[in-house]
Amino acid sequence: MPVSLPSSAHNQRRGLLRAVGTISFYTLLSRILGFIRDIVIARGFGAGMGADAFFVALKLPNFLRRLFAEGAFSTAFVPVFADYLAAGDTQQTQRAAQAIFTQLLLVLMVIVALAQLFMPWLIMAAAPGFLDQPDKYQLTVDLTRITFPYILFISLVALAGGILNSHQRFAVPAATPMLLNLSLIGAALFLTPYVERPAEALAWGVFLGGAAQLLVQWPALKQIGFTVRLRWEPKHSAIGRILRLMGPSILGVSVAQVNLLFDILLASFLSSGAISYLYYADRLVEFPLGLIGIAMGTAILPALSAHAAKNDDAALNHDLDFALRLIFLINLPAMVGLIMLREPILALLFERGAFGSETTHLTGNALFAYAMGLMAFASVKVLAPAFYARKDTKTPVRIAIICMITNMFLNVILMFPLGYVGLALATTLSSYLNMLLLLRALKKRTGFKPHGGFFKVLLKGTLATMMMAAGIWAMHGHVWPHGGDVTTTQRAVALLPTIGVGVALFLLTAWLLKLEELQMLVGLLKRKK
C-alpha cells in the first residue's frame, strides 16, 4: 500500500534536493576542471613512465584521504557532531570540535613523517612491478614524497567540511576540490619547464592544491561562529566516541581502498600503461558518480543522522527511498550513454599529443567494465551512510570484508584472460554484491523496502533510457567522423549534438511518462534560476 507523505516529509525532500543541487553544481565545475586537468596531463604524459609514476604517487595519499578524510573520520565525526548540535550548547559543540582538530592534526603529522622515512618500502609494497625498472621506481618514490603531505591538508579540510555540512553549509566544501584541479593545471602548464623531471611539477601541484583547499575553509568557519584553535583535551568524550565509531569504520573503508591498492599492485606487473588506462577510465566514471552518487551521499548523511538521533526510522527510510530513486533515474542513462559513447568521449577529451588512438581504444576497454558498475558505485554511496547515521559501523564493515575477498578473488581470476580490463570488471562485480548485501541488511535493521510506486519509477526510467539509447545509436552512426586525421572540433561537432539528442529524448520520454522525481528536480532548478 503506498505510503502518503506529510508536508514535512515533502519539505525534507526538497531540502535534500537543494543540498544535492548545490553539491552537484560545484562538483560539476570541479569535474569540468578535472577533465581539463586530465587533458593537459594526457597530452604531456600520455600513458608512459612519468604518468604511471605520478598516478601511483597520487593514489597513496588518496588512499589515506579516503580512509581518514572522506571515509572513516567523516562517517564517525558527522553523527557525533550532529548530537552536539542537537543538544544546542554552542560552547560545548565548539570545544569538542577544537579538541578533535588538535588530535587529528597531531596524528596526521606523525603519519606524514613516518611515510617520508619509509617511502621506498611503501612504493615497493604498492607497486612491486616497478622494481624491475629502477628509474621508474625511484621517480615514483620521489613524487610520492612530494604528494604525501596532501593527506594532512585534505583531512583537515574534511573536518572543516563536516562542520559546515552539519550547519547546512554545503557550497564551500563542495567548491574547494576545484582548487586542486586548478593547481595541477597551473603546475603542468607553467612549472614543468623549471623542473628536471616533468612529472615533479604535477606532484608539487598536488601539494599546493591541498594547502589552498585548507586555507579557504577558515573564512567559512568564521562565518558560522567557529574559531579554529588548538585545544589539548585528548580525553574529551567526543574523541572517544569518534574513535569507537572509527575503529570498525576504518576497517570498512580500508577494505575498498585495499582493493584499489591491490589493483595497482597487479597492474604494475602488466604492460606499461595499464595503470594509466585504469586511471583515465576511472576518471570518466567519477564524473556522473560525483554529480549524484557522492553528492547525494554527502548531503544525506546529516539528514539521516538527524533522523537517527530521534530514532525515526520511518523518516530515514523515506529519505533513503527518495535518494535511491534519484540514483537510478540519473545513473542508468549515464551508464548506458557512457558505454555507448566511451571511445568518442575519450577521443574528444584526451586524444592528442602523447595520447594516441590506440591508447583511446585500450582505455575504452577499461571504461566499458567500470561503467557497467556505475549504478552500484552510486547506490553504495547512499546506502552506507544509512548505517553510519545509526552509529552501526559493524554491518557495513562485515559486508565490505566479504566484498574485498570477492574482489581479490575475481581480480586474480579475471586478470589472466582479460588483463587490466579484468581488474576493472572485478571492481564492478564486487560493487554490485556490496549494494545487494547492504540492501538486505537495511531491511533487517530498519525494515527498509521500496515504497509505493518505486518499481513503476524503475520501469519508466528504463523506458526513457531505451529511447535515449536509440537516439544515440541513430545519431552516432551518421555523424561521427572516421579516419586518422580528425580534429578536436570535428569530434566536438559530432559528439555534443549526439549527447544533446540523447538527453532530450530521455527528458521528453520522462515528461510524457510523468516521472515525479524528475519533475521535482526541474521545478527546483526553475526556482533557482
Side-chain angles (χ1 to χ4, degrees), residues 138-178:
Q138 188 57 49
L139 178 61
T140 307
V141 170
D142 294 341
L143 296 185
T144 311
R145 280 188 165 136
I146 299 172
T147 61
F148 207 86
Y150 177 74
I151 178 59
L152 186 151
F153 300 132
I154 207 63
S155 295
L156 297 178
V157 167
L159 172 63
I163 294 172
L164 292 169
N165 287 342
S166 297
H167 284 84
Q168 304 301 308
R169 303 292 182 91
F170 295 100
V172 171
T176 49
M178 291 189 290

Side-chain angles (χ1 to χ4, degrees), residues 245-303:
L245 290 175
M246 277 187 69
S249 193
I250 283 178
L251 181 58
V253 176
S254 66
V255 165
Q257 301 312 307
V258 166
N259 278 330
L260 292 175
L261 291 180
F262 192 58
D263 287 352
I264 292 176
L265 185 151
L266 293 177
S268 70
F269 289 103
L270 298 173
S271 60
S272 181
I275 291 175
S276 297
Y277 304 146
L278 292 171
Y279 170 81
Y280 290 120
D282 177 66
R283 289 290 300 151
L284 273 179
V285 171
E286 285 285 337
F287 183 79
L289 179 60
L291 286 182
I292 186 63
I294 296 174
M296 181 68 78
T298 302
I300 204 172
L301 179 57

Side-chain angles (χ1 to χ4, degrees), residues 98-121:
Q98 290 170 347
I100 295 165
F101 165 76
T102 305
Q103 291 300 115
L104 182 62
L105 177 63
L106 178 62
V107 170
L108 290 169
M109 291 175 65
V110 172
I111 290 173
V112 171
L114 291 175
Q116 298 297 330
L117 183 63
F118 294 104
M119 192 61 70
W121 291 273

Side-chain angles (χ1 to χ4, degrees), residues 49-68:
M49 182 183 80
D52 279 357
F54 171 69
F55 293 144
V56 171
L58 186 62
K59 282 286 186 183
L60 284 178
N62 267 340
F63 167 78
L64 290 177
R65 171 180 68 86
R66 292 176 177 174
L67 186 65
F68 285 105

Side-chain angles (χ1 to χ4, degrees), residues 22 73 80 150 448:
T22 299
F73 176 77
V80 171
Y150 177 74
F448 174 77

